[in-house]
Amino acid sequence: MTNTTPRLLDEQLCFAFYSASKKFNHFYQDALKPFHLTYPQYITMLALWETSPMTVRELGSHLNLDSGTLTPLLKRLEKQGWITRTRSEQYERQVNVNLTDYALEERDNVYARVNDCIDLMKMTGVDYDHLLNQIHEVMDELDQIRQKDLIKEA
Amino acid sequence: MTNTTPRLLDEQLCFAFYSASKKFNHFYQDALKPFHLTYPQYITMLALWETSPMTVRELGSHLNLDSGTLTPLLKRLEKQGWITRTRSEQYERQVNVNLTDYALEERDNVYARVNDCIDLMKMTGVDYDHLLNQIHEVMDELDQIRQKDLIKEA
DNA sequence: AACAATTTAGTTGTACACGATTAATTCAAT
DNA sequence: ATTGAATTAATCGTGTACAACTAAATTGTT
């Protein structure tokens, strides 16, 4: 018996994640326009506002991004005055990412703006905790599959 | 009262969508490696296997992608022999995207491969329909917000 | 018919995302 | 101490995304 059609629900689920992710991206793009921050830049700043300094590697493991993505992104944040990048003195091979005074000053303004925009959504029909759980369940499945053989060969 | 921290659940939800979308992307990247198709290319082919020919505009409204994304993507699919792009004769301004014989021949192989990989996931703890509903609920909220004023002004 | 408005696809520029590679530094083990 | 392995960030190449713009074709209005 051959499969002549893809499994509809999985397809729909994947496409839903794909679409929702893009929509959230636009949402933050709009919300953060006053600060000229994209969503990836924003979550980078969020991580740094929580813990700083961090090395590129540490940031990457928080955000699941590698240096190929982070290095240019961090250069843009640096150029816009949010962060500084300095080689660590003890370990020349790593780079410490630090917040600027500007970033510390603007933090609460950014938070307030994001919260104001989020308040526009009235997520009445959404059970956050359950939804988050289900998404993490799916992600765990996907992580486990990467370990297996079938998907790796070819 | 000022907001000095972002609303945690919304942040987590957005980041979960962002991460899950990337993971699904890798999953399909691996699954479709034998066919040299990326996920966006795959969903484009899915749409065409269901209905073809379609104009670039029609494809775009199915996939929520504009010509800036689709034109180069379609050129790649054309170069790899999956589709042809021909100006419509009645309406010179639109381009018909057609499947090649190769695409028709390979369809079931692609479906089978995707299904085999999807079968590796045993989504025991996931209620598909409910999860899909919740995601669409969130997307509807995001769509409604784009209409509003606060988010539009810079 | 003439011309403005609209539609369609393509182009350009910016910004991720990531695999693969490179270069520099540090560690380890003899 | 020397050399081989591992770690870290940067770089390069490919492929999305999308806003803004352009060019061509079509439609609407006068």
Side-chain angles (χ1 to χ4, degrees):
Chain A
M1 193 201 87
T2 50
N3 289 311
T4 55
T5 193
R7 277 173 47 181
L8 203 56
L9 277 172
D10 310 84
E11 296 289 349
Q12 287 176 343
L13 202 57
C14 179
F15 189 69
F17 280 124
Y18 170 73
S19 303
S21 179
K22 287 197 296 177
K23 278 187 205 297
F24 260 120
N25 230 302
H26 298 318
F27 169 77
Y28 276 98
Q29 202 92 31
D30 291 342
L32 296 167
K33 193 169 289 172
F35 305 99
H36 306 291
L37 289 172
T38 65
Y39 178 67
Q41 290 168 4
Y42 167 66
I43 55 175
T44 303
M45 291 306 298
L46 268 190
L48 288 168
W49 276 318
E50 199 174 309
T51 316
S52 110
M54 269 197 277
T55 67
V56 174
R57 179 145 228 355
E58 286 168 334
L59 260 174
S61 56
H62 273 65
L63 305 175
N64 290 306
L65 293 172
D66 72 0
S67 66
T69 302
L70 276 177
T71 297
L73 186 153
L74 292 172
K75 283 182 179 174
R76 274 171 225 123
L77 286 178
E78 187 179 37
K79 192 154 80 173
Q80 295 175 242
W82 294 95
I83 61 160
T84 58
R85 293 156 63 247
T86 48
R87 286 268 160 201
S88 164
E89 292 183 3
Q90 313 93 310
Y91 302 95
E92 278 278 329
R93 86 194 139 181
Q94 61 195 21
V95 165
N96 283 122
V97 181
N98 259 284
L99 293 173
T100 61
D101 291 342
Y102 171 70
L104 292 171
E105 286 162 18
E106 288 294 288
R107 191 194 64 162
D108 286 357
N109 295 332
V110 173
Y111 285 178
R113 169 72 179 165
V114 167
N115 281 327
D116 284 350
C117 289
I118 286 179
D119 285 339
L120 293 176
M121 308 194 245
K122 41 181 186 347
M123 297 285 209
T124 44
V126 179
D127 179 347
Y128 279 107
D129 291 318
H130 185 253
L131 179 50
L132 255 183
N133 268 334
Q134 293 276 287
I135 297 174
H136 283 294
E137 190 101 29
V138 172
M139 286 200 279
D140 288 346
E141 284 291 343
L142 288 171
D143 285 337
Q144 283 167 36
I145 283 186
R146 278 213 125 180
Q147 254 66 328
K148 296 187 185 169
D149 289 331
L150 175 60
I151 197 107
K152 282 196 291 201
E153 81 202 20
Chain B
M1 194 202 86
T2 49
N3 289 312
T4 56
T5 192
R7 275 173 49 180
L8 202 56
L9 277 172
D10 311 81
E11 296 289 349
Q12 286 176 343
L13 202 57
C14 180
F15 190 68
F17 280 124
Y18 170 74
S19 303
S21 179
K22 288 198 296 177
K23 278 188 206 295
F24 259 120
N25 230 304
H26 298 318
F27 169 78
Y28 277 97
Q29 202 92 31
D30 291 342
L32 296 167
K33 193 168 289 170
F35 305 99
H36 307 292
L37 289 173
T38 65
Y39 178 66
Q41 290 166 5
Y42 167 65
I43 55 175
T44 303
M45 291 306 298
L46 270 190
L48 288 168
W49 275 319
E50 198 174 309
T51 315
S52 110
M54 271 197 275
T55 66
V56 174
R57 178 145 227 356
E58 286 167 334
L59 260 174
S61 55
H62 274 64
L63 306 174
N64 289 307
L65 294 172
D66 71 0
S67 66
T69 302
L70 276 177
T71 298
L73 186 153
L74 292 172
K75 283 182 179 174
R76 276 172 222 120
L77 285 178
E78 187 179 39
K79 193 154 81 175
Q80 295 176 241
W82 295 95
I83 61 160
T84 58
R85 294 154 64 247
T86 48
R87 286 268 160 202
S88 164
E89 292 183 2
Q90 314 94 311
Y91 303 96
E92 280 277 330
R93 85 192 142 183
Q94 60 196 21
V95 165
N96 283 123
V97 181
N98 259 285
L99 294 172
T100 60
D101 291 342
Y102 172 70
L104 292 171
E105 286 162 18
E106 288 294 287
R107 191 195 62 164
D108 287 356
N109 295 333
V110 172
Y111 285 177
R113 169 71 178 165
V114 168
N115 281 327
D116 285 350
C117 289
I118 286 179
D119 284 339
L120 294 176
M121 307 193 245
K122 38 178 190 347
M123 298 284 208
T124 44
V126 178
D127 179 347
Y128 279 107
D129 291 318
H130 185 254
L131 178 51
L132 256 183
N133 268 334
Q134 294 275 287
I135 297 174
H136 284 294
E137 189 102 28
V138 172
M139 285 199 281
D140 289 345
E141 285 290 345
L142 288 170
D143 285 337
Q144 283 168 35
I145 283 185
R146 277 214 126 179
Q147 255 65 329
K148 296 187 184 168
D149 287 332
L150 176 61
I151 196 105
K152 280 196 291 201
E153 82 204 20

Short mmCIF file of all heavy atoms in Angstrom, two decimals, chain A residues 11-64:
data_model
loop_
_atom_site.label_atom_id
_atom_site.label_comp_id
_atom_site.label_asym_id
_atom_site.label_seq_id
_atom_site.Cartn_x
_atom_site.Cartn_y
_atom_site.Cartn_z
N GLU A 11 0.72 18.28 8.17
CA GLU A 11 0.97 19.36 7.23
C GLU A 11 0.36 20.66 7.74
O GLU A 11 1.00 21.70 7.76
CB GLU A 11 0.32 19.03 5.88
CG GLU A 11 0.87 17.83 5.17
CD GLU A 11 2.27 18.08 4.63
OE1 GLU A 11 2.72 19.23 4.64
OE2 GLU A 11 2.90 17.09 4.22
N GLN A 12 -0.91 20.55 8.14
CA GLN A 12 -1.60 21.75 8.60
C GLN A 12 -0.93 22.34 9.82
O GLN A 12 -0.83 23.55 9.98
CB GLN A 12 -3.06 21.42 8.92
CG GLN A 12 -3.91 21.20 7.68
CD GLN A 12 -5.31 20.77 8.01
OE1 GLN A 12 -5.58 20.35 9.14
NE2 GLN A 12 -6.21 20.87 7.05
N LEU A 13 -0.48 21.45 10.70
CA LEU A 13 0.18 21.89 11.92
C LEU A 13 1.46 22.64 11.59
O LEU A 13 1.72 23.74 12.10
CB LEU A 13 0.48 20.69 12.80
CG LEU A 13 0.67 20.96 14.28
CD1 LEU A 13 -0.55 21.65 14.86
CD2 LEU A 13 0.94 19.66 15.02
N CYS A 14 2.25 22.06 10.71
CA CYS A 14 3.50 22.69 10.33
C CYS A 14 3.23 24.04 9.69
O CYS A 14 3.87 25.04 10.03
CB CYS A 14 4.28 21.79 9.38
SG CYS A 14 5.83 22.51 8.84
N PHE A 15 2.28 24.07 8.78
CA PHE A 15 1.97 25.33 8.09
C PHE A 15 1.42 26.37 9.06
O PHE A 15 1.69 27.57 8.93
CB PHE A 15 0.98 25.07 6.95
CG PHE A 15 0.77 26.24 6.06
CD1 PHE A 15 1.79 26.67 5.22
CD2 PHE A 15 -0.44 26.92 6.05
CE1 PHE A 15 1.60 27.77 4.38
CE2 PHE A 15 -0.63 28.02 5.22
CZ PHE A 15 0.39 28.45 4.37
N ALA A 16 0.67 25.90 10.06
CA ALA A 16 0.15 26.83 11.07
C ALA A 16 1.28 27.45 11.87
O ALA A 16 1.29 28.66 12.12
CB ALA A 16 -0.82 26.10 12.00
N PHE A 17 2.26 26.65 12.25
CA PHE A 17 3.41 27.19 12.98
C PHE A 17 4.16 28.19 12.10
O PHE A 17 4.56 29.27 12.55
CB PHE A 17 4.36 26.08 13.41
CG PHE A 17 3.92 25.36 14.64
CD1 PHE A 17 3.75 23.98 14.65
CD2 PHE A 17 3.68 26.05 15.81
CE1 PHE A 17 3.34 23.32 15.80
CE2 PHE A 17 3.28 25.40 16.96
CZ PHE A 17 3.10 24.03 16.95
N TYR A 18 4.34 27.79 10.87
CA TYR A 18 5.04 28.64 9.90
C TYR A 18 4.33 29.98 9.75
O TYR A 18 4.96 31.05 9.84
CB TYR A 18 5.09 27.86 8.58
CG TYR A 18 5.56 28.57 7.35
CD1 TYR A 18 6.89 28.90 7.16
CD2 TYR A 18 4.65 28.88 6.34
CE1 TYR A 18 7.31 29.52 5.99
CE2 TYR A 18 5.06 29.50 5.17
CZ TYR A 18 6.38 29.81 5.00
OH TYR A 18 6.79 30.42 3.83
N SER A 19 3.02 29.94 9.61
CA SER A 19 2.25 31.17 9.40
C SER A 19 2.18 32.00 10.68
O SER A 19 2.33 33.22 10.65
CB SER A 19 0.83 30.83 8.94
OG SER A 19 0.88 30.05 7.76
N ALA A 20 1.95 31.32 11.81
CA ALA A 20 1.84 32.04 13.07
C ALA A 20 3.16 32.73 13.40
O ALA A 20 3.17 33.88 13.87
CB ALA A 20 1.44 31.09 14.19
N SER A 21 4.24 32.05 13.13
CA SER A 21 5.54 32.64 13.41
C SER A 21 5.74 33.91 12.60
O SER A 21 6.22 34.93 13.10
CB SER A 21 6.63 31.61 13.10
OG SER A 21 7.91 32.15 13.35
N LYS A 22 5.34 33.85 11.33
CA LYS A 22 5.48 35.04 10.50
C LYS A 22 4.59 36.17 11.00
O LYS A 22 5.00 37.33 11.03
CB LYS A 22 5.15 34.70 9.04
CG LYS A 22 6.24 33.88 8.35
CD LYS A 22 6.11 33.91 6.83
CE LYS A 22 4.83 33.28 6.33
NZ LYS A 22 4.69 33.37 4.87
N LYS A 23 3.37 35.81 11.40
CA LYS A 23 2.45 36.86 11.89
C LYS A 23 2.98 37.52 13.16
O LYS A 23 2.91 38.74 13.32
CB LYS A 23 1.06 36.28 12.15
CG LYS A 23 0.20 36.15 10.90
CD LYS A 23 -1.22 35.73 11.28
CE LYS A 23 -1.92 35.02 10.12
NZ LYS A 23 -2.12 35.86 8.93
N PHE A 24 3.49 36.71 14.07
CA PHE A 24 4.08 37.28 15.29
C PHE A 24 5.25 38.19 14.92
O PHE A 24 5.46 39.24 15.53
CB PHE A 24 4.57 36.17 16.22
CG PHE A 24 3.64 35.87 17.35
CD1 PHE A 24 3.09 34.61 17.50
CD2 PHE A 24 3.32 36.85 18.29
CE1 PHE A 24 2.23 34.32 18.55
CE2 PHE A 24 2.46 36.57 19.34
CZ PHE A 24 1.91 35.31 19.48
N ASN A 25 6.01 37.77 13.95
CA ASN A 25 7.12 38.57 13.48
C ASN A 25 6.66 39.96 13.05
O ASN A 25 7.25 40.96 13.44
CB ASN A 25 7.77 37.86 12.29
CG ASN A 25 9.26 37.73 12.48
OD1 ASN A 25 9.94 38.73 12.62
ND2 ASN A 25 9.73 36.51 12.48
N HIS A 26 5.60 39.98 12.25
CA HIS A 26 5.06 41.27 11.81
C HIS A 26 4.58 42.08 13.00
O HIS A 26 4.77 43.30 13.05
CB HIS A 26 3.91 41.07 10.83
CG HIS A 26 4.31 40.35 9.59
ND1 HIS A 26 5.48 40.63 8.93
CD2 HIS A 26 3.71 39.36 8.89
CE1 HIS A 26 5.58 39.84 7.87
NE2 HIS A 26 4.53 39.07 7.83
N PHE A 27 3.91 41.39 13.91
CA PHE A 27 3.39 42.07 15.09
C PHE A 27 4.51 42.80 15.83
O PHE A 27 4.40 44.00 16.14
CB PHE A 27 2.71 41.05 16.00
CG PHE A 27 2.37 41.59 17.36
CD1 PHE A 27 1.27 42.42 17.54
CD2 PHE A 27 3.16 41.26 18.45
CE1 PHE A 27 0.95 42.91 18.79
CE2 PHE A 27 2.84 41.76 19.71
CZ PHE A 27 1.74 42.59 19.88
N TYR A 28 5.59 42.11 16.09
CA TYR A 28 6.70 42.74 16.81
C TYR A 28 7.40 43.78 15.95
O TYR A 28 7.88 44.79 16.46
CB TYR A 28 7.68 41.68 17.31
CG TYR A 28 7.27 41.06 18.62
CD1 TYR A 28 6.59 39.84 18.66
CD2 TYR A 28 7.51 41.71 19.82
CE1 TYR A 28 6.18 39.29 19.86
CE2 TYR A 28 7.11 41.17 21.02
CZ TYR A 28 6.44 39.95 21.04
OH TYR A 28 6.03 39.41 22.24
N GLN A 29 7.47 43.51 14.66
CA GLN A 29 8.06 44.50 13.75
C GLN A 29 7.32 45.82 13.89
O GLN A 29 7.94 46.89 13.99
CB GLN A 29 7.95 43.99 12.31
CG GLN A 29 8.95 44.62 11.36
CD GLN A 29 10.21 43.79 11.26
OE1 GLN A 29 10.17 42.57 11.39
NE2 GLN A 29 11.33 44.45 11.04
N ASP A 30 5.98 45.76 13.90
CA ASP A 30 5.18 46.97 14.04
C ASP A 30 5.35 47.57 15.44
O ASP A 30 5.58 48.76 15.59
CB ASP A 30 3.70 46.64 13.80
CG ASP A 30 3.42 46.30 12.35
OD1 ASP A 30 4.26 46.64 11.49
OD2 ASP A 30 2.37 45.71 12.08
N ALA A 31 5.24 46.69 16.43
CA ALA A 31 5.29 47.18 17.82
C ALA A 31 6.62 47.85 18.11
O ALA A 31 6.68 48.85 18.85
CB ALA A 31 5.05 46.03 18.78
N LEU A 32 7.69 47.33 17.54
CA LEU A 32 9.03 47.81 17.87
C LEU A 32 9.57 48.83 16.88
O LEU A 32 10.73 49.25 16.98
CB LEU A 32 9.99 46.62 17.97
CG LEU A 32 9.66 45.63 19.09
CD1 LEU A 32 10.44 44.35 18.93
CD2 LEU A 32 9.96 46.27 20.46
N LYS A 33 8.70 49.22 15.95
CA LYS A 33 9.14 50.18 14.93
C LYS A 33 9.74 51.45 15.55
O LYS A 33 10.77 51.95 15.08
CB LYS A 33 7.98 50.52 13.99
CG LYS A 33 8.39 51.24 12.74
CD LYS A 33 7.25 51.32 11.73
CE LYS A 33 6.94 49.96 11.10
NZ LYS A 33 5.73 49.96 10.27
N PRO A 34 9.14 51.99 16.64
CA PRO A 34 9.73 53.19 17.24
C PRO A 34 11.19 52.99 17.67
O PRO A 34 11.94 53.97 17.78
CB PRO A 34 8.85 53.45 18.45
CG PRO A 34 7.57 52.77 18.16
CD PRO A 34 7.90 51.58 17.32
N PHE A 35 11.58 51.77 17.92
CA PHE A 35 12.94 51.51 18.40
C PHE A 35 13.83 50.92 17.31
O PHE A 35 14.99 50.61 17.56
CB PHE A 35 12.90 50.58 19.61
CG PHE A 35 12.02 51.07 20.72
CD1 PHE A 35 10.73 50.58 20.88
CD2 PHE A 35 12.48 52.06 21.58
CE1 PHE A 35 9.91 51.07 21.89
CE2 PHE A 35 11.66 52.54 22.60
CZ PHE A 35 10.38 52.04 22.75
N HIS A 36 13.26 50.74 16.13
CA HIS A 36 14.02 50.16 15.01
C HIS A 36 14.62 48.81 15.39
O HIS A 36 15.79 48.53 15.11
CB HIS A 36 15.12 51.12 14.56
CG HIS A 36 14.60 52.48 14.22
ND1 HIS A 36 13.81 52.72 13.12
CD2 HIS A 36 14.73 53.68 14.85
CE1 HIS A 36 13.48 54.00 13.08
NE2 HIS A 36 14.02 54.60 14.12
N LEU A 37 13.80 47.98 16.05
CA LEU A 37 14.25 46.63 16.40
C LEU A 37 13.40 45.60 15.67
O LEU A 37 12.18 45.73 15.61
CB LEU A 37 14.11 46.39 17.91
CG LEU A 37 15.08 47.12 18.84
CD1 LEU A 37 14.67 46.91 20.30
CD2 LEU A 37 16.51 46.66 18.60
N THR A 38 14.04 44.57 15.12
CA THR A 38 13.30 43.44 14.58
C THR A 38 13.04 42.45 15.72
O THR A 38 13.59 42.60 16.82
CB THR A 38 14.13 42.72 13.51
OG1 THR A 38 15.28 42.15 14.13
CG2 THR A 38 14.55 43.68 12.41
N TYR A 39 12.21 41.43 15.44
CA TYR A 39 11.94 40.45 16.49
C TYR A 39 13.20 39.71 16.94
O TYR A 39 13.47 39.63 18.15
CB TYR A 39 10.86 39.46 16.06
CG TYR A 39 10.60 38.41 17.12
CD1 TYR A 39 10.04 38.76 18.35
CD2 TYR A 39 10.96 37.08 16.92
CE1 TYR A 39 9.83 37.82 19.34
CE2 TYR A 39 10.76 36.14 17.91
CZ TYR A 39 10.19 36.50 19.11
OH TYR A 39 9.99 35.57 20.09
N PRO A 40 14.02 39.20 16.02
CA PRO A 40 15.26 38.54 16.47
C PRO A 40 16.16 39.48 17.27
O PRO A 40 16.79 39.06 18.24
CB PRO A 40 15.92 38.10 15.17
CG PRO A 40 14.79 37.94 14.21
CD PRO A 40 13.82 39.01 14.57
N GLN A 41 16.20 40.74 16.88
CA GLN A 41 17.00 41.70 17.64
C GLN A 41 16.39 41.90 19.03
O GLN A 41 17.11 42.00 20.03
CB GLN A 41 17.07 43.03 16.89
CG GLN A 41 17.92 42.98 15.63
CD GLN A 41 17.75 44.20 14.74
OE1 GLN A 41 17.04 45.15 15.10
NE2 GLN A 41 18.38 44.18 13.58
N TYR A 42 15.06 41.95 19.07
CA TYR A 42 14.36 42.15 20.34
C TYR A 42 14.62 41.00 21.32
O TYR A 42 14.95 41.24 22.49
CB TYR A 42 12.86 42.33 20.08
CG TYR A 42 11.99 42.25 21.29
CD1 TYR A 42 12.06 43.22 22.30
CD2 TYR A 42 11.07 41.20 21.44
CE1 TYR A 42 11.24 43.14 23.42
CE2 TYR A 42 10.26 41.13 22.55
CZ TYR A 42 10.34 42.09 23.54
OH TYR A 42 9.54 42.00 24.64
N ILE A 43 14.49 39.77 20.86
CA ILE A 43 14.72 38.66 21.81
C ILE A 43 16.19 38.61 22.23
O ILE A 43 16.51 38.18 23.34
CB ILE A 43 14.27 37.29 21.24
CG1 ILE A 43 14.91 36.98 19.90
CG2 ILE A 43 12.76 37.23 21.15
CD1 ILE A 43 14.59 35.60 19.38
N THR A 44 17.07 39.08 21.37
CA THR A 44 18.47 39.18 21.77
C THR A 44 18.61 40.20 22.90
O THR A 44 19.28 39.93 23.92
CB THR A 44 19.34 39.60 20.57
OG1 THR A 44 19.15 38.67 19.51
CG2 THR A 44 20.80 39.65 20.96
N MET A 45 17.96 41.33 22.73
CA MET A 45 18.00 42.35 23.78
C MET A 45 17.34 41.84 25.06
O MET A 45 17.85 42.07 26.17
CB MET A 45 17.31 43.63 23.30
CG MET A 45 18.04 44.37 22.20
SD MET A 45 19.76 44.76 22.61
CE MET A 45 19.54 45.84 24.03
N LEU A 46 16.22 41.13 24.93
CA LEU A 46 15.54 40.56 26.10
C LEU A 46 16.51 39.69 26.89
O LEU A 46 16.60 39.78 28.12
CB LEU A 46 14.36 39.69 25.66
CG LEU A 46 12.98 40.31 25.54
CD1 LEU A 46 11.96 39.21 25.33
CD2 LEU A 46 12.64 41.14 26.76
N ALA A 47 17.23 38.83 26.16
CA ALA A 47 18.17 37.92 26.83
C ALA A 47 19.24 38.72 27.55
O ALA A 47 19.63 38.39 28.68
CB ALA A 47 18.79 36.97 25.80
N LEU A 48 19.70 39.79 26.91
CA LEU A 48 20.77 40.59 27.50
C LEU A 48 20.26 41.44 28.66
O LEU A 48 20.98 41.66 29.64
CB LEU A 48 21.41 41.48 26.43
CG LEU A 48 22.27 40.74 25.40
CD1 LEU A 48 22.61 41.65 24.23
CD2 LEU A 48 23.55 40.21 26.06
N TRP A 49 19.02 41.92 28.57
CA TRP A 49 18.47 42.68 29.69
C TRP A 49 18.33 41.78 30.91
O TRP A 49 18.37 42.24 32.04
CB TRP A 49 17.11 43.29 29.32
CG TRP A 49 17.23 44.61 28.59
CD1 TRP A 49 18.09 45.62 28.88
CD2 TRP A 49 16.47 45.05 27.47
NE1 TRP A 49 17.91 46.66 28.00
CE2 TRP A 49 16.92 46.34 27.12
CE3 TRP A 49 15.43 44.47 26.70
CZ2 TRP A 49 16.38 47.07 26.06
CZ3 TRP A 49 14.90 45.20 25.66
CH2 TRP A 49 15.37 46.48 25.34
N GLU A 50 18.16 40.49 30.65
CA GLU A 50 18.05 39.56 31.77
C GLU A 50 19.44 39.21 32.31
O GLU A 50 19.65 39.17 33.52
CB GLU A 50 17.31 38.30 31.30
CG GLU A 50 16.75 37.47 32.43
CD GLU A 50 15.91 36.32 31.89
OE1 GLU A 50 15.02 36.57 31.05
OE2 GLU A 50 16.17 35.17 32.27
N THR A 51 20.37 38.92 31.41
CA THR A 51 21.73 38.55 31.81
C THR A 51 22.72 39.23 30.90
O THR A 51 22.65 39.08 29.68
CB THR A 51 21.94 37.03 31.67
OG1 THR A 51 20.82 36.34 32.18
CG2 THR A 51 23.21 36.60 32.39
N SER A 52 23.65 39.96 31.47
CA SER A 52 24.69 40.56 30.63
C SER A 52 25.91 40.85 31.51
O SER A 52 25.76 41.16 32.67
CB SER A 52 24.16 41.83 29.95
OG SER A 52 24.76 42.99 30.47
N PRO A 53 27.10 40.70 30.95
CA PRO A 53 27.35 40.35 29.56
C PRO A 53 27.16 38.86 29.31
O PRO A 53 27.12 38.04 30.22
CB PRO A 53 28.83 40.73 29.39
CG PRO A 53 29.43 40.54 30.74
CD PRO A 53 28.35 40.87 31.72
N MET A 54 27.05 38.53 28.04
CA MET A 54 27.06 37.13 27.60
C MET A 54 27.99 37.02 26.40
O MET A 54 28.14 37.99 25.64
CB MET A 54 25.66 36.68 27.21
CG MET A 54 24.86 36.06 28.36
SD MET A 54 23.45 35.11 27.77
CE MET A 54 22.25 36.40 27.56
N THR A 55 28.57 35.84 26.24
CA THR A 55 29.36 35.61 25.03
C THR A 55 28.40 35.30 23.88
O THR A 55 27.22 35.01 24.10
CB THR A 55 30.31 34.42 25.20
OG1 THR A 55 29.54 33.22 25.33
CG2 THR A 55 31.18 34.59 26.44
N VAL A 56 28.93 35.36 22.67
CA VAL A 56 28.13 35.02 21.50
C VAL A 56 27.58 33.61 21.63
O VAL A 56 26.42 33.34 21.34
CB VAL A 56 28.97 35.18 20.22
CG1 VAL A 56 28.20 34.69 19.00
CG2 VAL A 56 29.38 36.63 20.04
N ARG A 57 28.43 32.72 22.12
CA ARG A 57 28.01 31.32 22.30
C ARG A 57 26.85 31.20 23.27
O ARG A 57 25.87 30.52 23.01
CB ARG A 57 29.20 30.50 22.81
CG ARG A 57 28.87 29.02 23.07
CD ARG A 57 30.00 28.10 22.76
NE ARG A 57 29.65 26.93 21.95
CZ ARG A 57 28.48 26.53 21.54
NH1 ARG A 57 27.41 27.22 21.82
NH2 ARG A 57 28.34 25.43 20.82
N GLU A 58 26.95 31.88 24.42
CA GLU A 58 25.88 31.82 25.41
C GLU A 58 24.58 32.37 24.85
O GLU A 58 23.51 31.76 25.01
CB GLU A 58 26.30 32.60 26.66
CG GLU A 58 27.35 31.90 27.51
CD GLU A 58 27.98 32.80 28.57
OE1 GLU A 58 27.99 34.04 28.39
OE2 GLU A 58 28.47 32.27 29.56
N LEU A 59 24.66 33.49 24.21
CA LEU A 59 23.48 34.06 23.56
C LEU A 59 22.88 33.07 22.58
O LEU A 59 21.66 32.85 22.56
CB LEU A 59 23.86 35.33 22.81
CG LEU A 59 23.56 36.66 23.48
CD1 LEU A 59 24.13 37.79 22.64
CD2 LEU A 59 22.06 36.83 23.66
N GLY A 60 23.74 32.45 21.81
CA GLY A 60 23.29 31.50 20.81
C GLY A 60 22.56 30.32 21.41
O GLY A 60 21.56 29.86 20.85
N SER A 61 23.03 29.84 22.55
CA SER A 61 22.35 28.68 23.11
C SER A 61 21.04 29.09 23.80
O SER A 61 20.11 28.30 23.87
CB SER A 61 23.26 27.90 24.06
OG SER A 61 23.76 28.73 25.06
N HIS A 62 20.94 30.34 24.24
CA HIS A 62 19.65 30.82 24.74
C HIS A 62 18.63 30.92 23.61
O HIS A 62 17.46 30.59 23.78
CB HIS A 62 19.81 32.20 25.38
CG HIS A 62 20.20 32.18 26.81
ND1 HIS A 62 21.41 31.69 27.25
CD2 HIS A 62 19.53 32.56 27.95
CE1 HIS A 62 21.47 31.79 28.56
NE2 HIS A 62 20.36 32.31 29.01
N LEU A 63 19.07 31.40 22.47
CA LEU A 63 18.15 31.74 21.39
C LEU A 63 18.09 30.69 20.29
O LEU A 63 17.31 30.81 19.36
CB LEU A 63 18.56 33.08 20.77
CG LEU A 63 18.69 34.26 21.74
CD1 LEU A 63 19.22 35.49 21.02
CD2 LEU A 63 17.34 34.56 22.39
N ASN A 64 18.93 29.66 20.39
CA ASN A 64 19.04 28.66 19.32
C ASN A 64 19.45 29.30 18.00
O ASN A 64 18.82 29.07 16.96
CB ASN A 64 17.73 27.89 19.15
CG ASN A 64 17.46 26.96 20.30
OD1 ASN A 64 18.31 26.14 20.65
ND2 ASN A 64 16.31 27.11 20.93
#
